[in-house]
Amino acid sequence: MNLKKYQLWTLPVISGIMLSCGWLGGIFQLLIFFAFIPLLVLEDYYFQQIGKRSSFRIFFKSLLGFLIWNAISSYWIWNASESGAIMAIVFNSIFMATLFWIFHATKKKLGRRLGYIAFVAYWVGFEYLHLNWELSWTWLTLGNGLSENIRLIQWYEYTGTLGGSLWILVCNLMFFEIFRNLPFRNKKLRNVKITYAALALFLPIVISFIIYTIYKEKGKPVEVVVVQPNIDPYNDKFGGMPVELQLEKIIHLADSLCDENTDYVVAPETAIPLGIWEEDLQSHPDIISLKVFTYRHPRVKIVIGASTFKMFKGNEKLSPTAHLFSDSGEYYDSYNTALQIDTGKEIQIYHKSKLVLGVEKMPFLNSIDWLKDVSIELGGTSGSLGTQPEPGIFISGNREYKIAPVICYESIYGEYVTGYIQKGANLIFVITNDGWWGNTPGYTQHLSYSSLRAIETRRDIARSANTGISCFVNQLGEIQQPTKWWTPTAIKQKILTNNETTFYVRMGDYIGRIAGLLSVLIFLFFITMMFRKKKV
């Protein structure tokens, strides 16, 4: 295949635009099944070239495509952090281009068949790594790109989103092979390849539609009120509006829908914004005002977000994120926290554990000592929040209700959310503040990821977003009663407490682990072949 010079730059641009369609929503998401084809055409052109320079050329041209994909899909980060947007877009694109470059080099050495197996294994293995390492930015996991087409992905309850990534990559390769061999000299071979490609695309869809048709939602009903206070995070939330007025707004909205049958009120992330010492929770005025609300509605449990601090006691081991408290010699941690408050004495606490890189945590604090000093200088609210080691659940109703309090960014981590379910959670409450991103695709993308978590776990979700979109999500991933953006409101619905576990909950990201192992084996074989040639 001969390509003109302008085509060598046009092809990655086309791929970048098509890949970004997975995050534009609706029917456009289906273009992701063909989005890698222009890049694969480009790679195959360089595959047929003689010489080492092709590897470097494919790196820079593919980098252009991945920059376009990342920029179109996540430019909205700029609204919250200019430097954060640049880092997320540039570094993620470099990771992807490096991966594509390694695939090209592997294919050059090991041939087409093993090369394309390597492409799938490398990419899915990279996505699994990206879900679990310190530089995690998993917004663009390929399987997320079908989040608004829930009727096509009901089988995520068996595979999680990495199963979707595998599906997308295999379809891209099969359609590319058909394109590469046009026109077919062997009609029988043409028909076989088209049949296999059609099966790869449509068989999972048929299975999904069958599941969607026959699945029956399970569990006992629980009445939940979700509050959306709509407090401007830039001008009001952290100092512009007194905290007591913010809580009054939340309580007023909850009061408008609560009755004797209401079991839960859900309020957004950092609804109590200015920080409470956990040692003083019971006596803090903000907590007391919420307690007074529960005395008026004794059946109600409030799940609400807060900023909290906790002092290290005596010889208690310090965490990597511990901060020195003035000149006292004492240390404390800052947390993004979820609280469950009711008429009882105990206030249940969960600390957010999947933190936003650069905003809530500094990477590699456990392994790079000087970063600990940097995190202390940053004062705790930027790059150094504390975490708890594993998911925690809120239990109430004579242990009948078990809530997974998922805070904001945590909702994009499928396997992490299964940790709540493994601890017995039969409902998921997502509390978030998406107002940082403004009226951009960011908050709608984040909303759609709740559908993925509902399908993977078969759990009903109540979602409280400070500025929207708040909603309920049923076990099929269907979004119900979505609120309007930037509107104070409250919604109420009965949702179901399912106690059954899906295959994905039990197995987690097994597809990612298999891909990671296969990637290592192929890469070691590739390195072995490289050294063997040099010795010869």
Side-chain angles (χ1 to χ4, degrees):
M1 182 182 295
N2 292 319
L3 295 175
K4 297 180 180 179
K5 191 170 184 179
Y6 77 90
Q7 292 175 316
L8 298 178
W9 292 102
T10 303
L11 287 169
V13 171
I14 295 171
S15 267
I17 294 171
M18 292 178 70
L19 283 164
S20 68
C21 286
W23 284 260
L24 296 180
I27 198 69
F28 289 106
Q29 290 189 323
L30 302 185
L31 289 174
I32 203 168
F33 288 106
F34 312 96
F36 276 102
I37 293 176
L39 270 176
L40 291 170
V41 170
L42 177 70
E43 186 280 327
D44 200 61
Y45 170 78
Y46 282 119
F47 171 73
Q48 299 175 58
Q49 306 299 306
I50 298 174
K52 297 181 180 179
R53 294 179 64 189
S54 66
S55 293
F56 296 101
R57 289 172 178 171
I58 196 68
F59 173 82
F60 289 108
K61 290 181 174 64
S62 66
L63 178 61
L64 173 63
F66 294 130
L67 280 169
I68 291 170
W69 174 20
N70 279 265
I72 293 176
S73 303
S74 52
Y75 74 89
W76 43 265
I77 304 172
W78 186 274
N79 284 24
S81 170
E82 293 91 342
S83 59
I86 293 170
M87 289 180 64
I89 292 169
V90 172
F91 279 97
N92 210 41
S93 300
I94 291 173
F95 292 150
M96 291 174 172
T98 302
L99 189 73
F100 202 77
W101 172 46
I102 295 172
F103 145 62
H104 172 72
T106 303
K107 181 182 164 189
K108 274 269 193 180
K109 179 59 59 179
L110 304 182
R112 287 186 187 278
R113 181 171 297 180
L114 195 52
Y116 289 138
I117 293 173
F119 173 58
V120 175
Y122 288 167
W123 196 280
V124 178
F126 161 72
E127 289 190 340
Y128 177 70
L129 172 67
H130 222 15
L131 284 163
N132 293 283
W133 71 326
E134 288 290 306
L135 296 178
S136 179
W137 170 245
T138 65
W139 204 268
L140 301 187
T141 297
L142 285 172
N144 291 346
L146 299 170
S147 58
E148 292 189 17
N149 289 275
I150 60 169
R151 296 189 182 191
L152 309 184
I153 55 172
Q154 292 296 314
W155 45 269
Y156 274 21
E157 69 168 291
Y158 297 99
T159 68
T161 55
L162 293 184
S165 298
L166 178 63
W167 183 32
I168 290 165
L169 290 166
V170 168
C171 285
N172 269 278
L173 282 173
M174 296 186 82
F175 289 126
F176 164 70
E177 276 297 298
I178 293 172
F179 176 81
R180 186 177 70 85
N181 289 286
L182 290 176
F184 279 89
R185 295 179 181 176
N186 187 328
K187 291 184 178 180
K188 185 177 180 181
L189 178 62
R190 177 198 64 189
N191 293 337
V192 168
K193 290 200 172 191
I194 292 174
T195 300
Y196 284 160
L199 283 173
L201 178 62
F202 290 110
L203 185 58
I205 294 175
V206 171
I207 292 171
S208 183
F209 269 92
I210 292 172
I211 295 173
Y212 183 82
T213 302
I214 66 175
Y215 182 82
K216 303 297 181 185
E217 293 190 81
K218 306 172 181 69
K220 296 181 179 179
V222 177
E223 187 172 281
V224 180
V225 170
V226 168
V227 175
Q228 180 176 301
N230 199 63
I231 298 168
D232 188 330
Y234 287 104
N235 300 312
D236 295 329
K237 190 167 190 56
F238 297 94
M241 178 187 293
V243 177
E244 57 268 25
L245 292 183
Q246 297 185 39
L247 289 178
E248 281 181 19
K249 191 172 187 179
I250 290 171
I251 291 169
H252 174 73
L253 289 167
D255 252 333
S256 69
L257 291 181
C258 279
D259 57 32
E260 66 276 6
N261 297 314
T262 304
D263 297 289
Y264 283 94
V265 169
V266 188
E269 177 188 22
T270 58
I272 306 173
L274 297 186
I276 301 175
W277 288 101
E278 293 182 5
E279 294 82 358
D280 302 326
L281 274 177
Q282 295 286 356
S283 59
H284 196 279
D286 297 340
I287 302 299
I288 291 173
S289 66
L290 295 170
K291 280 276 191 181
V292 169
F293 174 84
T294 65
Y295 295 147
R296 295 201 309 272
H297 303 279
R299 183 185 176 112
V300 167
K301 283 76 64 179
I302 302 173
V303 175
I304 188 169
S307 296
T308 65
F309 308 113
K310 185 178 179 181
M311 192 73 71
F312 287 90
K313 299 176 181 178
N315 295 324
E316 186 178 358
K317 184 179 179 181
L318 298 179
S319 72
T321 55
H323 313 285
L324 182 63
F325 188 76
S326 188
D327 297 324
S328 66
E330 296 179 296
Y331 286 83
Y332 72 97
D333 250 335
S334 306
Y335 300 101
N336 188 339
T337 302
L339 305 172
Q340 179 169 294
I341 301 167
D342 54 27
T343 55
K345 291 184 178 180
E346 181 186 7
I347 296 175
Q348 297 183 53
I349 301 173
Y350 166 71
H351 298 137
K352 182 179 180 183
S353 295
K354 289 290 188 179
L355 302 177
V356 180
L357 183 66
V359 177
E360 294 179 317
K361 77 169 183 178
M362 295 288 287
F364 307 115
L365 280 178
N366 287 316
S367 54
I368 304 178
D369 289 338
W370 63 265
L371 283 176
K372 299 178 184 179
D373 298 327
V374 173
S375 70
I376 290 172
E377 291 171 8
L378 288 172
T381 57
S382 297
S384 54
L385 293 185
T387 62
Q388 64 182 61
E390 58 187 21
I393 63 174
F394 295 155
I395 301 174
S396 56
N398 198 23
R399 302 187 67 83
E400 185 178 8
Y401 307 139
K402 299 177 181 179
I403 308 302
V406 180
I407 304 176
C408 190
Y409 191 59
E410 293 179 324
S411 65
I412 72 172
Y413 290 89
E415 187 172 50
Y416 183 78
V417 172
T418 68
Y420 297 99
I421 313 304
Q422 290 169 358
K423 289 179 177 292
N426 50 25
L427 288 171
I428 297 174
F429 292 171
V430 175
I431 61 174
T432 185
N433 179 17
D434 296 346
W436 296 111
W437 308 328
N439 192 10
T440 67
Y443 72 87
T444 58
Q445 292 170 12
H446 194 204
L447 165 68
S448 69
Y449 293 169
S450 288
S451 293
L452 302 178
R453 306 292 84 83
I455 293 169
E456 290 169 346
T457 63
R458 297 301 182 192
R459 292 296 186 268
D460 281 34
I461 296 176
R463 186 178 196 270
S464 174
N466 172 38
T467 54
I469 296 174
S470 302
C471 64
F472 298 98
V473 186
N474 69 14
Q475 293 165 26
L476 287 165
E478 295 171 325
I479 294 172
Q480 300 172 330
Q481 294 196 59
T483 61
K484 293 182 179 179
W485 166 256
W486 209 264
T487 302
T489 188
I491 52 177
K492 179 169 71 174
Q493 185 168 307
K494 288 186 177 180
I495 59 178
L496 302 178
T497 56
N498 183 18
N499 288 299
E500 296 183 8
T501 57
T502 65
F503 184 82
Y504 178 67
V505 167
R506 295 191 294 273
M507 300 299 293
D509 285 327
Y510 65 95
I511 288 178
R513 287 188 281 275
I514 293 171
L517 176 60
L518 184 57
S519 297
V520 171
L521 294 175
I522 293 174
F523 189 71
L524 288 175
F525 182 50
F526 163 67
I527 295 297
T528 301
M529 295 300 291
M530 290 284 290
F531 278 106
R532 181 176 295 178
K533 182 179 178 181
K534 287 181 179 180
K535 288 181 180 179
V536 172

